[in-house]
Amino acid sequence: MVAGLTVLDPGVLSLVQDAGRYGVGQLGLSQGGPVDCHAFAWANYLLDNPANTPLIEITMGQARFRADHGISIAITGADIQPCINGQRVGMWQTLTLNAGDELSLSYARRGLRAYLAVRGGWAVDGAFGSAATVMRNQLGGLHSGLGEQVGGLPLAKGDWLACRPHALLPRVRGVPTRFIPDYDALTPLALLPGYQFDSFSSAALTTFFEGEYTVDQHSDRMGVRLNGPSVMSKQPGIVSEGIALGAVQVPPDGQPIVLLNDRQTLGGYPKLGCLTRASLSMLAQTRPGKIVRFYPAKLTDASAQWQAFVQFFDWIESVKTLIDEPLGDRGS
């Protein structure tokens, strides 16, 4: 029989995510994928999964699952205090669920999003080459959204997540402490200046980099809205153009918005630049009401940091098929 998990309580928002949907922006489709690629990559790495293996992104915790066979799992990201049959277990390490075991996740104490991976990955169909759930596009998740199916749905009570057959890991593996982020730390976020950077005056840039911004409660997977000192551009509007992951756009009210994985594909607001992938992972774990700061980063430093990440996790090779595959062949 195929092993899997039954969803007893999906919590606030639980979504199937893989590394994301590439090469579909011209169709108006969002990238999707994990907003915290650091926690996502470690969850799969602990289980010997390729970096693109689908897992579950759980926002705020408060979810429960029941295993029907023995499986190896890992939980990373926000501190959701996992319990197996009522007994606390560790995060950022591998765990074993036996048949009938109940996994319960509490309200996140630190951070915002946790990642639940299973060895071999959750057996879900893809849409346009990816299982990533994008609710606004109605794609991905347990139902791909191709044909007559309705995709893009979060997990619901009673859903069953099948996983690929695998041997249980013989011993516990854990992430070294130095690689486990402190989500409560006021870590400055690295901004790579973009080509519209010069449309902001020196005074406006000083305001931005010396200011403190509070994460707005209306933030989501499309973008993080910030409240703080207004940053006004000398170029209040531009012709709509493609938007990169992590772009920091400034609407007319001067309150920056950092665009995330489920962002719209086009936008007409001037942009300060883009956050680095490492800073995006930290921002994705910053809860509403928390304060963030920014600093101007050097491209050479950000590039070296990202290269080290993709080489360690073999990220590029894992998602290479998504990038190279002709668009007409997607929709597995």
Side-chain angles (χ1 to χ4, degrees):
M1 294 180 64
V2 178
L5 283 182
T6 297
V7 179
L8 302 179
D9 186 340
V12 177
L13 181 66
S14 295
L15 303 171
V16 174
Q17 297 291 349
D18 59 15
R21 190 167 284 109
Y22 293 86
V24 294
Q26 70 269 33
L27 302 178
L29 301 178
S30 301
Q31 172 184 335
V35 288
D36 180 353
C37 65
H38 176 86
F40 172 92
W42 271 112
N44 276 322
Y45 184 87
L46 287 171
L47 297 164
D48 293 328
N49 292 338
N52 190 40
T53 303
L55 46 59
I56 305 171
E57 180 183 271
I58 302 168
T59 300
M60 296 305 297
Q62 297 179 301
R64 291 188 301 121
F65 306 88
R66 183 178 62 242
D68 54 17
H69 286 77
I71 56 176
S72 290
I73 65 169
I75 306 172
T76 60
D79 181 9
I80 51 175
Q81 307 172 74
C83 291
I84 297 177
N85 299 327
Q87 298 297 312
R88 282 286 300 276
V89 292
M91 292 191 57
W92 298 89
Q93 67 179 49
T94 56
L95 301 165
T96 298
L97 291 178
N98 297 309
D101 281 352
E102 182 176 315
L103 173 67
S104 58
L105 311 174
S106 298
Y107 185 81
R109 293 174 53 193
R110 289 179 292 274
L112 188 60
R113 296 172 172 97
Y115 293 84
L116 169 60
V118 67
R119 195 175 191 197
W122 304 110
V124 292
D125 293 330
F128 295 98
S130 171
T133 306
V134 180
M135 293 188 291
R136 64 190 298 267
N137 293 154
Q138 296 185 328
L139 288 176
L142 287 184
H143 307 289
S144 67
L146 292 175
E148 296 182 356
Q149 292 182 320
V150 177
L153 298 175
L155 296 183
K157 181 178 180 179
D159 281 345
W160 183 68
L161 286 155
C163 62
R164 305 186 190 284
H166 62 271
L168 298 179
L169 290 172
R171 57 185 177 275
V172 175
R173 298 175 178 174
V175 176
T177 304
R178 66 183 182 276
F179 296 121
I180 301 176
D182 179 1
Y183 296 132
D184 281 344
L186 183 57
T187 304
L189 304 176
L191 176 94
L192 295 172
Y195 70 92
Q196 291 159 6
F197 191 75
D198 291 338
S199 71
F200 297 87
S201 67
S202 59
L205 294 174
T206 298
T207 295
F208 177 71
F209 288 118
E210 292 186 356
E212 292 186 342
Y213 291 87
T214 303
V215 175
D216 190 270
Q217 63 178 344
H218 295 106
S219 301
D220 56 22
R221 284 182 47 89
M222 286 186 64
V224 176
R225 296 179 176 272
L226 302 173
N227 300 317
S230 294
V231 182
M232 308 309 295
S233 172
K234 294 178 289 186
Q235 185 181 7
I238 61 174
V239 176
S240 291
E241 61 183 8
I243 303 177
L245 176 63
V248 182
Q249 68 175 13
V250 182
D253 64 1
Q255 300 298 294
I257 302 172
V258 184
L259 296 170
L260 300 182
N261 302 58
D262 291 0
R263 67 197 180 280
Q264 69 275 21
T265 57
L266 298 173
Y269 295 136
K271 290 167 282 294
L272 287 159
C274 284
L275 294 190
T276 64
R277 292 298 290 264
S279 287
L280 276 175
S281 290
M282 287 300 295
L283 180 61
Q285 295 289 3
T286 304
R287 300 158 71 119
K290 294 288 187 178
I291 292 174
V292 296
R293 297 178 62 96
F294 300 88
Y295 73 94
K298 295 181 179 179
L299 181 60
T300 52
D301 294 340
S303 178
Q305 183 183 47
W306 179 241
Q307 287 180 34
F309 178 92
V310 299
Q311 289 171 5
F312 181 82
F313 291 109
D314 203 17
W315 184 275
I316 293 298
E317 286 303 314
S318 181
V319 303
K320 194 172 187 298
T321 55
L322 300 179
I323 300 171
D324 293 345
E325 183 183 348
L327 184 61
D329 295 339
R330 294 182 183 156
S332 52

